[in-house]
Amino acid sequence: MNKVDNLQYVDELIYFYVNQPIRIMKIYEQVHMAKVFCLETKKNVIIDIGAITKEPSREMSISIRWLEGMRK
């Protein structure tokens, strides 16, 4: 996985969360999280810094919501 080195908020930089383009709004280093703005959905969310990449991910993944339905 492509880790982002020395994350700092710079308005022009676009990173990716899986395949979604994002902008980093604030970094919470103590808890390894970042507040990001999703450019496609126009929403602010908080995610793990380790999930932020410089390029979109092409890896196969499944939604956690899909797994939740399997508990029943």
Side-chain angles (χ1 to χ4, degrees):
M1 192 177 257
N2 192 9
K3 300 284 182 202
V4 176
D5 301 319
N6 299 322
L7 290 177
Q8 294 180 0
Y9 173 71
V10 179
D11 195 38
E12 303 87 43
L13 294 180
I14 296 176
Y15 293 100
F16 292 89
Y17 173 61
V18 186
N19 63 348
Q20 295 181 35
I22 60 170
R23 288 212 171 124
I24 298 171
M25 306 304 291
K26 184 169 182 163
I27 296 174
Y28 304 97
E29 290 185 28
Q30 300 87 352
V31 292
H32 206 256
M33 304 292 275
K35 181 178 182 180
V36 301
F37 179 74
C38 295
L39 297 174
E40 291 179 355
T41 62
K42 309 290 187 223
K43 293 183 180 181
N44 287 324
V45 295
I46 295 179
I47 60 172
D48 186 315
I49 291 173
I52 299 172
T53 59
K54 292 182 180 179
E55 297 177 7
S57 175
R58 305 276 186 237
E59 295 178 20
M60 296 293 292
S61 63
I62 60 171
S63 170
I64 280 228
R65 290 187 180 136
W66 184 81
L67 292 174
E68 188 177 274
M70 294 182 70
R71 281 193 309 180
K72 297 177 181 179

